[in-house]
Amino acid sequence: MENNSDKQKKGEMMINEKYIRFDWAAKRMLRDKANFDVLEGLITVLLGEKITIDEILESESNQENQDDKYNRVDIKAKDSKGNIIIVEVQLTTQIYYLERILYGVAKAITEHISLGQMYNNVKKVYSINILYFDLGKGADYLYHGINTFRGVHTGDTLSVNVKENDVIKMKTPEEVFPEYFLIRVNEFNDVATTPIEEWLDYLKNGRIKDNTTTPGLAEAREKLLYMQMSRSDQIAYERHLDAMAVQSEAFLSARLEGFAEGRAEGQKKGRAEGRAEGRAEGRAEGRAEGRAEGRAEGRAEGIKETARNLKSMGVRSEDIAKATGLTIEEISGL
């Protein structure tokens, strides 16, 4: 049986081993060159080759205001072959997120090529998007998108002839066009056996294994501890967490209000349809049956409409199920 001293020591260990959320670290601490190895580890795991960061690129995206419109970090790095690449890490929950990803990639490309330069100076861009919300349907926690050109009739993949150093080389579109990674944090099942799963465990649960050898996480264990921050940074971090809690409460309130409005509208519609059907039949039992069926159908349709609205807002299927009483399968079919 634990005594008070043991409990106090355990409590102190939990506080001392509390890791800072990645979204905060990426905006503040990981922009310090001394901490590049944490970001390098995540990118290395995703791309499957050693990535070395040269610098964090300054732009409007790296503002430190609490209400930043552009919550992303642009990184200039080199791959294992020495090729320069641009990596963009996005973290913000936003409506029209796919459009936001496209805009961010386009901005990263155009910001880092000078006017009048040859187009061969355009750098390969990797867009890494860490999602703490439900973007849409899909059972996986990691999605990867690349550009390819396939023959409409032949099905073959197009390679392009380019001349480099007086030598004709074949280049594929995926070597030029951006690649996209969508990391759906909430879909991770909490079982970490691979390097990317260990990263997901940290992103979702703030856990890092004591004996981890995953690139970036061993460094994170040393550098992203809450207790190692200055008191001013701790206060700023706590305000950040408070702001996130307020946003979550506001979102939940809006979700419940939308559910109530949808249910009321559905009931109203059902009653009207039921009365019309009952009058058409001209019988008392028809009117009663029509009203009952109309109310039931209206309630059901109102709940479904609310569920559709919540899905379009990025609410997780599990939360929609709790709010509406629908099953995950019913929600998936909407």
Side-chain angles (χ1 to χ4, degrees):
M1 184 175 180
E2 290 184 333
N3 56 37
N4 290 336
S5 177
D6 292 335
K7 291 180 179 178
Q8 182 178 357
K9 289 179 181 179
K10 183 178 290 187
E12 290 173 351
M13 288 176 61
M14 290 178 65
I15 293 173
N16 290 334
E17 293 181 1
K18 179 180 178 182
Y19 297 105
I20 304 159
R21 282 178 58 101
F22 183 80
D23 56 347
W24 171 264
K27 289 286 288 181
R28 299 287 290 269
M29 301 176 67
L30 299 185
R31 293 174 59 193
D32 185 332
K33 189 168 185 176
N35 297 328
F36 280 179
D37 46 10
V38 178
L39 276 174
E40 287 174 348
L42 172 60
I43 301 168
T44 293
V45 168
L46 280 174
L47 302 189
E49 62 176 304
K50 175 61 178 174
I51 299 298
T52 304
I53 294 176
D54 280 349
E55 60 179 318
I56 301 295
L57 297 167
E58 293 298 331
S59 70
E60 64 181 12
S61 63
N62 289 327
Q63 301 170 36
E64 295 186 10
N65 187 287
Q66 186 76 25
D67 300 317
D68 283 351
K69 179 179 179 182
Y70 306 113
N71 188 359
R72 79 180 205 261
V73 180
D74 292 343
I75 300 164
K76 182 179 179 182
K78 291 180 181 177
D79 63 16
S80 59
K81 304 177 188 68
N83 298 316
I84 295 176
I85 60 174
I86 305 296
V87 180
E88 181 198 45
V89 180
Q90 297 200 59
L91 302 148
T92 304
T93 300
Q94 290 182 344
I95 300 175
Y96 308 123
Y97 196 81
L98 291 179
E99 293 85 346
R100 175 68 190 94
I101 292 173
L102 178 61
Y103 175 79
V105 167
K107 196 166 184 64
I109 293 171
T110 56
E111 279 182 348
H112 308 301
I113 180 173
S114 300
L115 186 64
Q117 278 189 313
M118 296 288 290
Y119 290 125
N120 64 339
N121 289 297
V122 171
K123 304 305 179 187
K124 171 86 173 186
V125 173
Y126 292 90
S127 177
I128 299 170
N129 302 274
I130 301 171
L131 313 180
Y132 287 93
F133 63 99
D134 188 3
L135 183 65
K137 295 180 181 178
D140 209 329
Y141 59 80
L142 178 62
Y143 286 84
H144 178 213
I146 60 175
N147 289 77
T148 58
F149 293 99
R150 295 192 178 278
V152 174
H153 303 99
T154 62
D156 66 320
T157 301
L158 177 68
S159 294
V160 181
N161 291 331
V162 295
K163 191 171 184 179
E164 295 179 0
N165 299 323
D166 294 325
V167 178
I168 299 296
K169 297 182 178 180
M170 297 294 287
K171 220 168 193 177
T172 60
E174 53 265 34
E175 293 178 282
V176 178
F177 286 91
E179 293 188 32
Y180 304 86
F181 292 89
L182 301 181
I183 303 174
R184 304 170 73 219
V185 175
N186 293 332
E187 298 304 316
F188 176 58
N189 63 8
D190 296 345
V191 178
T193 57
T194 66
I196 187 59
E197 288 171 346
E198 285 195 40
W199 261 101
L200 262 293
D201 201 20
Y202 164 56
L203 294 174
K204 180 179 181 180
N205 304 309
R207 293 190 301 236
I208 302 176
K209 293 180 179 179
D210 293 340
N211 60 346
T212 184
T213 58
T214 293
L217 288 183
E219 293 80 3
R221 277 184 56 83
E222 299 176 2
K223 299 176 179 180
L224 300 186
L225 284 169
Y226 172 82
M227 292 301 295
Q228 289 186 354
M229 287 197 297
S230 67
R231 184 53 192 154
S232 61
D233 280 345
Q234 287 179 349
I235 292 172
Y237 178 61
E238 289 162 4
R239 287 176 179 167
H240 169 73
L241 296 182
D242 288 341
M244 290 185 59
V246 170
Q247 289 177 2
S248 296
E249 280 191 23
F251 183 73
L252 179 59
S253 297
R255 183 178 66 181
L256 294 177
E257 287 174 7
F259 173 66
E261 290 175 4
R263 185 171 57 185
E265 183 64 27
Q267 289 174 340
K268 181 180 177 181
K269 178 181 178 182
R271 285 194 294 269
E273 291 176 353
R275 285 195 296 269
E277 185 180 339
R279 284 194 297 269
E281 291 179 0
R283 296 194 302 252
E285 65 251 14
R287 288 195 297 272
E289 182 179 345
R291 285 195 296 270
E293 290 180 357
R295 284 195 295 270
E297 291 175 1
R299 283 194 295 270
E301 185 57 35
I303 291 173
K304 288 180 180 179
E305 184 63 27
T306 299
R308 291 190 192 100
N309 292 337
L310 295 177
K311 283 185 68 176
S312 69
M313 294 167 64
V315 179
R316 296 177 64 232
S317 296
E318 291 79 0
D319 293 333
I320 297 175
K322 292 178 183 177
T324 63
L326 297 175
T327 65
I328 299 296
E329 290 74 19
E330 289 173 328
I331 295 168
S332 299
L334 294 177

